[in-house]
Amino acid sequence: MLSKKRTMVVALLFLFLILGLTYRLADIQLISTTSFSKNKVNLIQESVDQRTHRFMINDGRGYFLDRNGELLSTDVRAQVIVFPNLYSRRWPIDSITNILDTSSRNLTKSISELKKPSALSLSKEISIEQMNEINKLEIPGLYAQLVTKRNPTPFANHILGAVGQDPDLIKRKYEDKLKKGTVTISTKTGKNGMQYTFDPFLISEGETEYIYHVDRQGHPLFGLDVKFRSQSNPLYPLHVKTTLDKKMQETVEKTLDAHNVIEGGAVLIDIETNELLAMSSRPLFSSETIYKHVDHMTSQQIPGSVFKIVTAAAAIEENRIQNDKMYDCNLNIYGDKDERQLGMLNVENSFTQSCNRTFGDLANELQKKDPDFMEKYAEKLGLLTHNGWQGEVYHLEAFSHFYKEEAGQIYNSKKKESNYKSSLATSQTAIGQLDVKVTPLAVANMMATIARGGVSYEVKSAKSVNFANGTELIEFADHKKEGEKLSPYTIMRLQSLLLNVVKNEEGTGHALQSLPFQVAGKSGTAQKGGDQRFNNKWFAGYFPAENPRFALVIVDLKHDTVNRTIPVFRGIATEIMEEKDR
């Protein structure tokens, strides 16, 4: 009896095992063929991929152009593509070598070394004419095409951003496209920068490729030709026409590197259009550090004396400046002897030489009349809001041109209001210390606003999104910033103050006076706390001052004893003006 029970138990176990294996086999072959396991693997597609040799001509993802129509971070080159399994002695090698200007020995050797469909490695690039001549030969397995490759160089690293695989994002953000089969979980998406913000327009709608089917041993299935597969919609991929100027971006990148700015960056804006011409942040990110490094140009930084522009604007607007009133600039804001013995200065000379004591005293005078004056005037100058273009685009309600742009702050919301009531706290805030933080992008936009006469706009990084044939899909209209503005008189006085910083022999920006054009601007040095070896060093300005065309901000976040901001500003401004005048 016991033996029978054991036999029944073993038999049932075997039965359940067989049923489990049968269900598993049915699940793989019949039920979950297009969405197997928690990873939603398409088994049919995977099976086809194992039996397919392919060469990708274009991944189908959209691309970026600069303001003049030049490709950014993407290369398109004519290449000769070989399917080595289809190579035979019947190929007209002499005709091929004559077109490509190479030897038959080199050609046959290159082909014999190929293990999969690849582009031939040639000593020089081929022309469109050579490409067409190759295709006229109509050789099965040998094709010439314009091949698109993503450029991995660090050009415009942070502003353009990077792409990579993110299956979870695909499932979450592009579920409809996944169901239609226009994307797969391995389709690349934007990880940061404009690649991320413009991803809904750039994501691939299908690859363009040559494909060829093989058997289990990798041998070609005869009777099946190499097929050319491309997107079904000729209007795709889309491309984004940015506001960036490729040459100016190259100038910014080169100059930052030449002066060893290892942490910091630069922002360059076209004053007339308020479009971003170039922006670069250091350090650059790599595939390993993509989430560890932020774009310093769109994140909060301590501004130091650059913030004195806000205090000066408030004092002018509130009629608190008396040119004959002198301030003791031998003292610092603590009432102690200052490192720089500047003597007795009025407000204008205090701005020129960046005297902290004067602006601390001014702020305390203003504070008595209006406790909220600091936020009020920082808001008027656009330092506390997002400065990048934002708006509704189709179904995207809060579409932004800039990735994770931060707004500025005067006070730390985590601290009590009483922390900022003292005379010392007011003085520290007035000179851009304590808890004041703004983005370099916001400061650049402030300089453009002042240079323009007080009219403020959101900064654009893109002009339009276009179809593949160049037809415009979306045009990004100018967004004028609303809200309270400074009076024309205050703007005029600020322009004068900024000009004197460079023109005056005692000015902190006087080193730029030697340029063949006039610069107006403001320097800034900010103590960061923590690592006392380094400060934040700024120079924010515009040029040429008499007819402003460019607003430029340079930030060195690891300033030691070397002032890199002035030389970097000089180098970028000089090269840009020389290029524009050619």
Side-chain angles (χ1 to χ4, degrees):
M1 190 70 179
L2 185 61
S3 177
K4 284 186 177 181
K5 286 184 178 180
R6 286 179 178 174
T7 303
M8 287 291 293
V9 169
V10 171
L12 285 171
L13 287 174
F14 272 109
L15 178 62
F16 286 129
L17 179 62
I18 292 170
L19 288 174
L21 291 173
T22 303
Y23 174 79
R24 183 67 169 175
L25 186 63
D27 186 37
I28 293 173
Q29 295 190 342
L30 300 173
I31 301 170
S32 301
T33 54
T34 60
S35 184
F36 180 70
S37 81
K38 63 179 182 180
N39 293 320
K40 308 296 182 183
V41 177
N42 188 324
L43 295 175
I44 296 175
Q45 184 63 47
E46 290 295 319
S47 176
V48 171
D49 288 344
Q50 288 180 5
R51 302 288 183 266
T52 303
H53 284 182
R54 63 184 74 231
F55 183 91
M56 186 186 296
I57 298 165
N58 190 312
D59 63 7
R61 185 172 178 81
Y63 50 92
F64 295 106
L65 301 176
D66 86 337
R67 65 195 297 110
N68 301 310
E70 289 195 52
L71 280 168
L72 296 175
S73 70
T74 304
D75 285 333
V76 178
R77 297 182 182 179
Q79 293 187 318
V80 178
I81 302 152
V82 175
F83 281 72
N85 284 347
L86 297 179
Y87 170 67
S88 73
R89 293 183 179 180
R90 294 192 297 273
W91 280 20
I93 294 296
D94 290 340
S95 298
I96 300 170
T97 54
N98 286 335
I99 295 170
L100 299 179
D101 192 22
T102 186
S103 69
S104 57
R105 181 180 178 182
N106 287 341
L107 180 63
T108 53
K109 182 183 177 185
S110 296
I111 295 174
S112 66
E113 291 173 348
L114 298 178
K115 304 299 182 185
K116 61 181 181 179
S118 306
L120 280 179
S121 178
L122 301 170
S123 58
K124 58 183 179 180
E125 292 185 30
I126 67 170
S127 65
I128 299 297
E129 290 74 17
Q130 288 173 299
M131 185 182 81
N132 293 332
E133 288 296 317
I134 287 290
N135 289 331
K136 284 180 182 177
L137 297 175
E138 296 184 350
I139 303 170
L142 184 75
Y143 312 94
Q145 276 285 349
L146 290 171
V147 179
T148 302
K149 293 290 184 185
R150 302 293 167 185
N151 196 337
T153 60
F155 177 81
N157 187 264
H158 285 276
I159 181 63
L160 291 183
V163 296
Q165 292 184 358
D166 190 339
D168 291 334
L169 185 144
I170 289 285
K171 295 169 193 172
R172 183 177 70 253
K173 198 172 178 181
Y174 300 108
E175 185 180 3
D176 56 334
K177 291 180 181 289
L178 195 60
K179 288 178 179 177
K180 292 177 184 176
T182 55
V183 302
T184 67
I185 57 172
S186 61
T187 298
K188 290 183 177 180
T189 59
K191 308 297 283 185
N192 58 2
M194 293 177 74
Q195 291 282 12
Y196 180 89
T197 56
F198 284 84
D199 196 60
F201 303 107
L202 298 174
I203 191 165
S204 175
E205 294 286 334
E207 300 166 348
T208 299
E209 58 187 353
Y210 283 114
I211 57 175
Y212 191 73
H213 299 288
V214 296
D215 61 20
R216 293 181 64 183
Q217 283 72 40
H219 300 137
L221 291 170
F222 294 105
L224 293 176
D225 296 326
V226 175
K227 291 181 174 61
F228 179 79
R229 184 171 69 181
S230 64
Q231 292 186 10
S232 58
N233 191 336
L235 295 177
Y236 286 79
L238 303 177
H239 61 266
V240 176
K241 188 171 185 180
T242 72
T243 63
L244 299 176
D245 185 297
K246 190 174 183 180
K247 288 184 178 179
M248 292 184 186
Q249 182 71 35
E250 288 170 347
T251 295
V252 167
E253 307 264 8
K254 176 185 66 177
T255 310
L256 288 171
D257 290 341
H259 292 279
N260 197 32
V261 178
I262 60 174
E263 189 169 343
V267 182
L268 179 67
I269 292 176
D270 184 316
I271 290 174
E272 182 181 355
T273 63
N274 220 57
E275 294 174 345
L276 185 74
L277 295 171
M279 188 165 80
S280 185
S281 178
R282 295 291 186 274
L284 302 173
F285 65 78
S286 64
S287 57
E288 291 78 23
T289 62
I290 189 169
Y291 295 120
K292 295 178 183 178
H293 290 304
V294 298
D295 185 346
H296 290 306
M297 299 302 98
T298 56
S299 59
Q300 293 180 344
Q301 312 298 340
I302 306 170
S305 293
V306 169
F307 192 75
K308 288 174 184 172
I309 296 171
V310 174
T311 308
I316 296 167
E317 196 92 334
E318 300 296 334
N319 199 24
R320 289 283 172 173
I321 294 182
Q322 302 172 29
N323 286 331
D324 58 348
K325 184 175 180 179
M326 309 299 281
Y327 296 84
D328 189 355
C329 291
N330 288 328
L331 302 177
N332 59 25
I333 59 174
Y334 303 96
D336 301 325
K337 184 179 178 180
D338 195 67
E339 293 179 0
R340 298 184 302 152
Q341 293 294 288
L342 301 176
M344 302 298 291
L345 300 177
N346 62 14
V347 172
E348 183 172 310
N349 288 328
S350 293
F351 189 91
T352 298
Q353 298 181 54
S354 204
C355 168
N356 291 337
R357 179 74 183 193
T358 301
F359 289 89
D361 288 351
L362 275 174
N364 276 285
E365 292 175 28
L366 291 160
Q367 185 90 348
K368 292 173 184 176
K369 181 182 176 183
D370 182 2
D372 299 322
F373 88 92
M374 209 84 73
E375 286 180 307
K376 176 181 174 181
Y377 282 93
E379 188 77 43
K380 285 185 177 185
L381 285 163
L383 295 179
L384 304 185
T385 59
H386 291 97
N387 280 261
W389 195 99
Q390 289 187 333
E392 186 174 347
V393 179
Y394 290 122
H395 59 285
L396 306 170
E397 293 182 2
F399 184 78
S400 174
H401 281 199
F402 292 87
Y403 176 71
K404 291 188 176 180
E405 180 198 354
E406 296 178 351
Q409 69 173 43
I410 301 296
Y411 307 115
N412 187 336
S413 60
K414 295 180 181 179
K415 290 185 178 180
K416 296 178 181 178
E417 190 176 336
S418 58
N419 288 72
Y420 302 102
K421 294 296 185 183
S422 70
S423 173
L424 178 58
T426 299
S427 294
Q428 289 174 318
T429 303
I431 62 171
Q433 289 284 173
L434 200 55
D435 292 313
V436 178
K437 291 183 180 180
V438 297
T439 69
L441 177 65
V443 173
N445 201 23
M446 174 179 71
M447 301 309 293
T449 298
I450 294 170
R452 201 185 296 115
V455 182
S456 184
Y457 295 90
E458 292 178 354
V459 182
K460 290 194 292 187
S461 67
K463 290 176 175 286
S464 61
V465 178
N466 306 312
F467 290 112
N469 62 5
T471 305
E472 212 168 71
L473 172 63
I474 301 165
E475 180 184 15
F476 296 106
D478 294 341
H479 279 185
K480 190 174 180 179
K481 295 183 77 174
E482 303 300 333
E484 288 188 65
K485 307 296 180 189
L486 297 175
S487 69
Y489 174 75
T490 299
I491 291 292
M492 182 184 70
R493 288 290 301 274
L494 287 177
Q495 290 173 344
S496 177
L497 288 172
L498 293 168
L499 186 59
N500 283 336
V501 169
V502 177
K503 287 184 70 174
N504 192 304
E505 290 185 3
E506 302 296 328
T508 55
H510 186 65
L512 297 169
Q513 181 61 23
S514 60
L515 291 172
F517 49 89
Q518 190 65 60
V519 173
K522 183 73 185 79
S523 62
T525 305
Q527 296 175 346
K528 297 196 291 186
D531 192 343
Q532 296 296 324
R533 295 175 300 166
F534 303 113
N535 294 323
N536 289 355
K537 190 72 174 177
W538 297 65
F539 193 85
Y542 57 86
F543 59 94
E546 63 278 6
N547 182 26
R549 296 164 69 182
F550 306 101
L552 176 62
V553 170
I554 311 297
V555 188
D556 181 5
L557 299 177
K558 281 206 170 178
H559 168 67
D560 39 33
T561 58
V562 180
N563 185 348
R564 300 176 185 87
T565 57
I566 295 289
V568 171
F569 192 102
R570 182 195 296 115
I572 293 172
T574 300
E575 193 160 332
I576 285 172
M577 289 300 289
E578 287 176 352
E579 184 65 33
K580 279 295 179 184
D581 292 336
R582 282 173 190 164

Coordinates of all heavy atoms in Angstrom, one line a residue, residues 322-349:
Q322 N 23.8 109.1 -3.7 CA 24.2 110.5 -3.7 C 25.7 110.5 -4.1 O 26.5 109.9 -3.4 CB 24.0 111.1 -2.3 CG 22.6 111.1 -1.8 CD 22.5 111.5 -0.3 OE1 23.3 112.3 0.2 NE2 21.5 111.0 0.4
N323 N 26.0 111.1 -5.2 CA 27.4 111.0 -5.7 C 28.4 111.6 -4.8 O 29.6 111.3 -4.8 CB 27.5 111.7 -7.1 CG 26.8 110.8 -8.2 OD1 26.8 109.6 -8.0 ND2 26.3 111.5 -9.2
D324 N 28.0 112.6 -3.9 CA 28.9 113.2 -3.0 C 29.0 112.5 -1.7 O 29.8 112.8 -0.8 CB 28.5 114.7 -2.8 CG 27.1 114.8 -2.2 OD1 26.4 113.8 -2.2 OD2 26.8 115.9 -1.7
K325 N 28.2 111.4 -1.5 CA 28.3 110.6 -0.3 C 29.4 109.6 -0.4 O 29.5 108.8 -1.4 CB 27.0 110.0 0.0 CG 27.0 109.2 1.4 CD 25.6 108.6 1.7 CE 25.7 107.9 3.1 NZ 24.4 107.4 3.5
M326 N 30.3 109.6 0.6 CA 31.5 108.7 0.5 C 31.3 107.5 1.5 O 30.8 107.7 2.6 CB 32.8 109.5 0.8 CG 32.9 110.7 0.0 SD 33.0 110.4 -1.8 CE 34.7 109.9 -2.0
Y327 N 31.9 106.4 1.2 CA 31.8 105.2 2.0 C 33.3 104.8 2.3 O 34.2 104.9 1.5 CB 31.1 104.1 1.3 CG 29.6 104.4 1.1 CD1 29.2 105.1 0.0 CD2 28.6 104.0 2.0 CE1 27.9 105.4 -0.3 CE2 27.3 104.3 1.8 CZ 26.9 105.0 0.7 OH 25.6 105.3 0.4
D328 N 33.5 104.3 3.5 CA 34.8 103.9 4.0 C 35.2 102.5 3.5 O 34.8 101.5 4.1 CB 34.9 104.0 5.5 CG 36.4 103.8 6.0 OD1 37.2 103.5 5.1 OD2 36.6 103.9 7.2
C329 N 35.9 102.5 2.3 CA 36.2 101.2 1.7 C 37.5 100.6 2.2 O 38.1 99.7 1.6 CB 36.2 101.3 0.2 SG 34.5 101.6 -0.5
N330 N 38.0 101.2 3.3 CA 39.2 100.6 4.0 C 38.7 99.5 4.9 O 39.4 98.7 5.5 CB 40.0 101.6 4.8 CG 40.8 102.5 3.8 OD1 41.2 102.1 2.8 ND2 40.9 103.8 4.2
L331 N 37.3 99.5 5.1 CA 36.7 98.5 6.0 C 35.9 97.5 5.2 O 35.4 97.8 4.2 CB 35.8 99.2 7.0 CG 36.4 100.3 7.9 CD1 35.3 100.9 8.8 CD2 37.5 99.7 8.8
N332 N 35.8 96.3 5.8 CA 34.9 95.3 5.1 C 33.5 95.3 5.8 O 33.3 96.2 6.6 CB 35.6 93.9 5.3 CG 35.8 93.5 6.7 OD1 35.1 93.9 7.6 ND2 36.7 92.6 6.9
I333 N 32.7 94.4 5.4 CA 31.3 94.5 5.9 C 31.2 94.1 7.4 O 30.2 94.3 8.0 CB 30.4 93.5 5.1 CG1 30.8 92.1 5.1 CG2 30.2 94.0 3.7 CD1 29.9 91.1 4.5
Y334 N 32.3 93.6 8.0 CA 32.3 93.2 9.4 C 32.8 94.4 10.2 O 32.8 94.3 11.4 CB 33.2 92.0 9.6 CG 32.8 90.8 8.8 CD1 33.4 90.5 7.6 CD2 31.8 89.9 9.3 CE1 33.0 89.4 6.9 CE2 31.4 88.8 8.6 CZ 32.1 88.6 7.4 OH 31.7 87.5 6.6
G335 N 33.2 95.5 9.5 CA 33.8 96.6 10.2 C 35.2 96.5 10.5 O 35.8 97.4 11.2
D336 N 35.9 95.5 10.0 CA 37.3 95.3 10.2 C 38.1 95.8 9.0 O 37.5 96.1 8.0 CB 37.6 93.7 10.3 CG 36.9 93.1 11.5 OD1 36.7 93.8 12.5 OD2 36.5 91.9 11.4
K337 N 39.4 95.9 9.2 CA 40.3 96.4 8.1 C 40.2 95.4 6.9 O 40.4 94.2 7.1 CB 41.7 96.5 8.6 CG 42.7 97.1 7.6 CD 44.1 97.2 8.2 CE 45.1 97.8 7.2 NZ 46.4 97.8 7.7
D338 N 39.9 96.0 5.8 CA 39.8 95.2 4.6 C 41.2 94.8 4.0 O 42.1 95.6 4.2 CB 38.9 95.9 3.5 CG 38.5 94.9 2.4 OD1 37.7 94.1 2.7 OD2 38.9 95.1 1.3
E339 N 41.2 93.7 3.2 CA 42.5 93.3 2.6 C 42.9 94.4 1.6 O 44.1 94.7 1.4 CB 42.3 92.0 1.9 CG 42.1 90.8 2.8 CD 41.9 89.5 2.0 OE1 41.9 89.5 0.8 OE2 41.7 88.5 2.7
R340 N 41.9 95.0 0.9 CA 42.2 96.0 -0.1 C 41.9 97.4 0.5 O 40.8 97.6 1.0 CB 41.4 95.9 -1.4 CG 41.6 94.6 -2.1 CD 40.8 94.5 -3.4 NE 39.4 94.6 -3.1 CZ 38.5 95.2 -4.0 NH1 38.9 95.6 -5.1 NH2 37.2 95.2 -3.6
Q341 N 42.9 98.2 0.6 CA 42.7 99.6 1.2 C 42.3 100.5 0.0 O 43.2 101.1 -0.6 CB 44.0 100.0 1.9 CG 44.3 99.2 3.2 CD 43.2 99.4 4.2 OE1 43.2 100.5 4.9 NE2 42.4 98.4 4.5
L342 N 41.0 100.7 -0.2 CA 40.5 101.5 -1.3 C 40.2 102.9 -1.0 O 40.0 103.8 -1.9 CB 39.3 100.8 -1.9 CG 39.4 99.4 -2.4 CD1 38.1 98.8 -2.9 CD2 40.5 99.3 -3.5
G343 N 40.2 103.2 0.3 CA 39.9 104.6 0.7 C 38.5 104.9 0.7 O 37.6 104.1 0.8
M344 N 38.2 106.3 0.7 CA 36.8 106.7 0.7 C 36.3 106.8 -0.7 O 36.9 107.5 -1.6 CB 36.7 108.1 1.4 CG 37.2 108.1 2.8 SD 36.3 107.0 3.9 CE 34.7 107.9 4.0
L345 N 35.2 106.1 -1.0 CA 34.7 106.1 -2.4 C 33.2 106.3 -2.4 O 32.4 106.0 -1.5 CB 34.9 104.7 -3.0 CG 36.4 104.2 -3.1 CD1 36.4 102.8 -3.7 CD2 37.2 105.1 -4.0
N346 N 32.7 107.0 -3.5 CA 31.3 107.1 -3.7 C 30.7 105.8 -4.3 O 31.5 104.9 -4.6 CB 30.9 108.3 -4.6 CG 31.5 108.2 -6.0 OD1 32.0 107.1 -6.4 ND2 31.5 109.3 -6.7
V347 N 29.4 105.8 -4.6 CA 28.8 104.5 -5.1 C 29.4 104.1 -6.4 O 29.7 102.9 -6.7 CB 27.3 104.7 -5.2 CG1 26.6 103.5 -5.9 CG2 26.7 104.8 -3.8
E348 N 29.5 105.0 -7.4 CA 30.0 104.7 -8.7 C 31.4 104.1 -8.6 O 31.7 103.0 -9.3 CB 30.1 105.9 -9.6 CG 30.5 105.6 -11.0 CD 30.3 106.8 -12.0 OE1 29.3 107.4 -12.0 OE2 31.3 107.1 -12.7
N349 N 32.3 104.7 -7.9 CA 33.7 104.2 -7.8 C 33.7 102.9 -7.0 O 34.6 102.0 -7.2 CB 34.6 105.2 -7.2 CG 34.9 106.3 -8.2 OD1 35.0 106.1 -9.4 ND2 35.1 107.5 -7.7

